[in-house]
Amino acid sequence: DGGITQSPKYLFRKEGQNVTLSCEQNLNHDAMYWYRQDPGQGLRLIYYSQIVNDFQKGDIAEGYSVSREKKESFPLTVTSAQKNPTAFYLCASSILDRRHGYTFGSGTRLTVV
Amino acid sequence: KNEVEQSPQNLTAQEGEFITINCSYSVGISALHWLQQHPGGGIVSLFMLSSGKKKHGRLIATINIQEKHSSLHITASHPRDSAVYICAVGKGSNYKLTFGKGTLLTVNP
């Protein structure tokens, strides 16, 4: 079945370390997105990409980096510059036809220890 | 003021009750989405609306573009409906979504 795979589900990181969250989709979707979710807040957009080798900053991109070398993969790196990285991270994808919706992954919960 | 406001924030119901969750938005949109998030965190897309009404099983979603308001209804609620329900709006051509904070629904047996 087609879908989005995020790994790992839980991740612990020491302060000062970079960490990369994986997001893979086999839906042949053009666009991919990374969102951050904090308690009591709506999801906020970190980065998005509508085509291979191109991506755009979202509302809270500082301290994060992404790459889009393949259509099916959109990894997110949380760098040591991110001041408050503990959060739940969700990846999503969509095709660019507005008649269709979004598909979300199951998320990665990152905890800085 | 947030662009997307949901009410109520929390909702507790007895099994079998009819449930309504509301979403108001303040900007012009291309589409409105209703999403469901279970305790494990994964999100499932329930509906995408740009006008009128959609029905899927016991779930009904309506939207009033003039009033900038949408409702999600659940008929004959069941404990397995317990989840966070999230409203999100898309605008423009870049397909970015703006999310509400969610409504936590608990259905007791």
Side-chain angles (χ1 to χ4, degrees), chain A residues 25-36:
Chain A
Q25 54 101 357
N26 60 2
L27 301 163
N28 201 33
H29 283 178
D30 300 294
M32 297 186 75
Y33 312 81
W34 274 106
Y35 291 94
R36 171 181 170 137

Side-chain angles (χ1 to χ4, degrees), chain B residues 15-27:
Chain B
E15 184 172 356
E17 286 185 2
F18 181 83
I19 305 256
T20 296
I21 299 170
N22 297 299
C23 176
S24 297
Y25 53 93
S26 57
V27 296

Side-chain angles (χ1 to χ4, degrees), chain B residues 14-63:
Chain B
Q14 288 301 120
E15 184 172 356
E17 286 185 2
F18 181 83
I19 305 256
T20 296
I21 299 170
N22 297 299
C23 176
S24 297
Y25 53 93
S26 57
V27 296
I29 65 170
S30 54
L32 183 141
H33 301 252
W34 280 104
L35 312 167
Q36 181 191 56
Q37 185 172 33
H38 278 283
I43 288 181
V44 173
S45 180
L46 298 174
F47 296 104
M48 185 175 76
L49 293 165
S50 53
S51 65
K53 175 178 169 178
K54 286 189 175 180
K55 184 174 189 290
H56 186 255
R58 295 180 294 107
L59 302 178
I60 303 166
T62 64
I63 187 168

Side-chain angles (χ1 to χ4, degrees), chain A residues 35-107:
Chain A
Y35 291 94
R36 171 181 170 137
Q37 187 177 39
D38 294 284
Q41 295 196 39
L43 278 75
R44 292 180 290 168
L45 181 65
I46 305 172
Y47 268 99
Y48 67 103
S49 167
Q50 292 181 307
I51 193 170
V52 173
N53 292 323
D54 187 48
F55 46 83
Q56 309 295 329
K57 289 183 179 181
D59 301 316
I60 54 165
E62 185 175 348
Y64 299 99
S65 66
V66 293
S67 63
R68 187 89 186 274
E69 297 176 3
K70 299 184 295 183
K71 188 176 185 179
E72 59 269 24
S73 179
F74 191 42
L76 173 75
T77 296
V78 184
T79 75
S80 55
Q82 168 49 236
K83 301 256 186 290
N84 187 19
T86 295
F88 187 65
Y89 292 88
L90 275 158
C91 179
S93 70
S94 70
I95 63 172
L96 296 180
D97 185 333
R98 291 187 190 187
R99 293 171 294 177
H100 296 267
Y102 288 69
T103 300
F104 287 85
S106 56

